[in-house]
Amino acid sequence: GTIDVLDKLREFKPTIAVWGNIDGGKLRQECKEGEIFERGGVRVMITHIAGKPPKYNSKVLGYVKRYKPKLLVCGHSHILKVMPDKQNNLLFMNPGAAGKHGFHKVKTLLRFDLEVGEIKNLEVVEMGPRAK
């Protein structure tokens, strides 16, 4: 929601972020709608709204077909989900939600390593109840 959150993340670790539907002008100037990059030999695509595997929205599906990411990370639904998408040969991840806004009851995130072309050590981190 605010540029302060992005600044704090950048102070902590190198950060690649995309904007979402609650983000204002400063974040939209600082971030893109989607990102495709490679880390640890894994091509990664991140975006806010992707849809559900394997039936993504048309824009995301076009990028999936063109760039063939091994990992697709998205948000929007606030529903934690990790599942293989065999049709598009990728792993789909939605980390849930870590913020104060939304209908989620528990704040969650995903932590994992990208090494030698593999996604390893995936864990769900629960950060306690969402503040009301």
Side-chain angles (χ1 to χ4, degrees):
T2 68
I3 197 76
D4 298 340
V5 173
L6 181 60
D7 290 341
K8 286 178 185 174
L9 287 170
R10 287 177 170 165
E11 287 173 17
F12 177 65
K13 292 277 186 179
T15 302
I16 298 172
V18 297
W19 55 260
N21 55 297
I22 67 164
D23 297 325
K26 284 186 180 180
L27 274 171
R28 289 178 188 233
Q29 289 174 351
E30 207 51 44
C31 303
K32 297 177 185 174
E33 183 178 12
E35 290 275 2
I36 298 170
F37 57 95
E38 193 162 311
R39 288 290 185 278
V42 176
R43 183 169 294 143
V44 179
M45 179 178 171
I46 60 173
T47 190
H48 181 65
I49 300 173
K52 295 179 184 177
K55 298 179 181 181
Y56 307 106
N57 67 51
S58 60
K59 188 174 195 175
V60 168
L61 186 57
Y63 284 120
V64 166
K65 297 293 185 191
R66 181 175 181 189
Y67 295 103
K68 299 181 181 357
K70 187 170 186 175
L71 174 60
L72 171 58
V73 181
C74 71
H76 187 65
S77 72
H78 293 222
I79 299 170
L80 175 68
K81 181 179 277 197
V82 177
M83 64 180 285
D85 174 354
K86 294 179 182 176
Q87 185 172 327
N88 292 294
N89 197 30
L90 60 84
L91 182 62
F92 173 89
M93 290 186 187
N94 183 325
K100 296 183 266 186
H101 303 287
F103 58 86
H104 58 287
K105 293 184 186 332
V106 177
K107 296 184 289 183
T108 59
L109 62 85
L110 295 171
R111 184 170 31 205
F112 53 91
D113 298 318
L114 302 176
E115 297 176 0
V116 196
E118 294 184 28
I119 304 158
K120 297 180 174 182
N121 304 318
L122 174 62
E123 64 178 303
V124 174
V125 178
E126 291 187 357
M127 300 179 300
R130 176 181 58 87
K132 295 182 181 192

